[in-house]
Amino acid sequence: MKNLTLTFIFTVVTVFTANAQYDDLYTFEKGKSLIGMDAGVKFGADNKIAVSAFYEYSLFNLFVDECTLGAGVFGGYYRDKLKGEVEKIYITGVRVNVHYQFVDRLDTYAGLDPNFNIKTYKIQKDEAGFACYIHIGGRYYLTNWLGVFAEISTGYNNFRGGLSIKF
């Protein structure tokens, strides 16, 4: 919770103090990279809260300059406590996204997350397995390099949001 509060404060301060002009022609053009951190929640009976980080590289343009294919890696940690049982999930995988810029400063994207996850339990037997999730999201750039984003997904997070840095 402390890290989430610090991230929120950092975002608010950055939004109000950033005075740099946004002069990139496209939000995520070929050859650019992204790193990011986020927090998410899965709504339902157990309301899992998760944190994760990712790296993505823009491979090439698709059809037009506003549309790119990006690929990268991600990792996450999820903890849940339900009826005395503690479940911890460690996840790592690949992200593949198609990005399209409809308006200035807004990067919309959709993609797949093939991954491997390990579930550890306090009482039950541990599990491991492969899964694949889909997601759709949007990233708004506050400056040329700093963006805030939100996603919906079929994975361990129904909703997640965070910060990303483009370089």
Side-chain angles (χ1 to χ4, degrees), residues 3-117:
N3 289 338
L4 188 58
T5 303
L6 289 174
T7 302
F8 177 74
I9 290 170
F10 174 75
T11 303
V12 169
V13 169
T14 303
V15 167
F16 289 111
T17 60
N19 59 4
Q21 291 286 327
Y22 186 85
D23 58 8
D24 279 355
L25 189 56
Y26 302 112
T27 55
F28 193 53
E29 62 270 14
K30 178 183 172 184
K32 294 288 186 174
S33 293
L34 284 172
I35 58 171
M37 288 187 61
D38 59 76
V41 65
K42 179 167 185 147
F43 297 108
D46 53 358
N47 294 328
K48 293 178 183 174
I49 296 190
V51 293
S52 62
F54 67 88
Y55 168 79
E56 185 176 354
Y57 181 76
S58 179
L59 299 171
F60 51 85
N61 291 345
L62 297 171
F63 318 116
V64 293
D65 289 337
E66 296 89 356
C67 186
T68 59
L69 179 69
V73 295
F74 74 98
Y77 171 75
Y78 308 85
R79 185 177 187 279
D80 187 24
K81 186 173 183 180
L82 186 62
K83 298 179 184 172
E85 177 67 287
V86 176
E87 175 187 48
K88 295 179 184 175
I89 303 170
Y90 304 92
I91 186 169
T92 186
V94 176
R95 283 177 66 95
V96 178
N97 287 321
V98 173
H99 296 259
Y100 190 81
Q101 178 180 331
F102 287 102
V103 296
D104 289 347
R105 300 178 116 180
L106 182 63
D107 173 24
T108 54
Y109 56 92
L112 296 172
D113 298 328
N115 63 75
F116 179 74
N117 55 64

Side-chain angles (χ1 to χ4, degrees), residues 91-157:
I91 186 169
T92 186
V94 176
R95 283 177 66 95
V96 178
N97 287 321
V98 173
H99 296 259
Y100 190 81
Q101 178 180 331
F102 287 102
V103 296
D104 289 347
R105 300 178 116 180
L106 182 63
D107 173 24
T108 54
Y109 56 92
L112 296 172
D113 298 328
N115 63 75
F116 179 74
N117 55 64
I118 299 170
K119 298 178 184 178
T120 63
Y121 298 97
K122 185 176 177 183
I123 302 168
Q124 300 177 35
K125 184 178 177 185
D126 296 346
E127 302 174 15
F130 290 96
C132 187
Y133 309 125
I134 58 173
H135 63 267
I136 186 167
R139 178 177 294 107
Y140 182 77
Y141 285 96
L142 304 170
T143 68
N144 282 349
W145 57 273
L146 180 66
V148 292
F149 69 93
E151 281 183 15
I152 55 174
S153 172
T154 61
Y156 285 105
N157 294 323

